[in-house]
Amino acid sequence: MGTLYLVRHGQASFGADDYDQLSDLGQRQSVRLGEYFAHQGVHFDALIAGTLRRHKQTLAGILQGMNRAGEHLAWEGLNEYDSHAVVAAIHPQPLPRPDTPELYRHHFRLLRDGLAQWMAGAASPRGMPAYPDFVRGVTGALDHVRANHHGQKVLVVSSGGPISTAVGHVLGTSPETTIELNLRIRNTAVTEFAFTPKRLSLITFNALPHLDAPDLRDWVTYA
């Protein structure tokens, strides 16, 4: 069997004008995960990442922590949905920047509702594919891994939406459960699958072994 490690990007810049940029903490999270992989003796035979800046920055941090270099396969189907477009599809009025706890919670309530409507085909966020096409972008990456990397260790860096979609696809979860999985995935969390050319099996979900120390509790983030 091969092993697929699906990693969510490090903390990005939530609430800033440009979300698609790792924060200083997000960079440290990524390097720390690479150090953990190196300490465990994990060597990746293949590297795959979405094409967003935060994906590439996270992968670079992991490789820095592992003290190695490597070319990766860029896979657009691993890119995140546009959360602003999802929210705007059900709440077209402008929203204030979510810079307070209440505005933060309000944003994610709207996001949860917007995702449910997009997945049900009841909303069409501007500039985004229909949900079945989004799923095909994710499952295409899974199919590529199964077909081309049997018996190998593969690292994939992506976002919460594609990772939860992959888990939901493998486990056959409902859309509601997939949304809940999505909103629980932490930055640089590792979701691990065993795979053969015919199937994938979930081993771990949303794990942070590299941050499992009392002095790193403040490094655990969700955005």
Side-chain angles (χ1 to χ4, degrees), residues 100-122:
T100 68
E102 179 51 39
L103 288 175
Y104 184 88
R105 288 190 292 270
H106 181 57
H107 169 83
F108 281 98
R109 284 194 295 267
L110 289 173
L111 179 60
R112 182 181 278 105
D113 188 18
L115 287 172
Q117 294 197 38
W118 174 49
M119 295 167 80

Side-chain angles (χ1 to χ4, degrees), residues 1-5 44-45 145 149-155 192-195 203:
M1 280 194 175
T3 306
L4 168 61
Y5 299 82
F44 296 111
D45 301 291
V145 169
H149 298 291
H150 178 55
Q152 297 182 339
K153 289 183 171 63
V154 181
L155 173 65
E192 184 179 341
F193 292 94
F195 69 90
I203 305 299

Side-chain angles (χ1 to χ4, degrees), residues 5 30-31 33-35 37-39 41-48 56 58-73 153-156:
Y5 299 82
S30 304
V31 174
L33 178 56
E35 292 170 345
F37 283 140
H39 181 72
V42 176
H43 174 80
F44 296 111
D45 301 291
L47 306 170
I48 305 173
K56 292 181 281 189
T58 299
L59 177 58
I62 293 171
L63 293 178
Q64 178 185 335
M66 296 181 73
N67 195 28
R68 62 157 290 188
E71 297 296 321
H72 75 276
L73 173 65
K153 289 183 171 63
V154 181
L155 173 65
V156 171

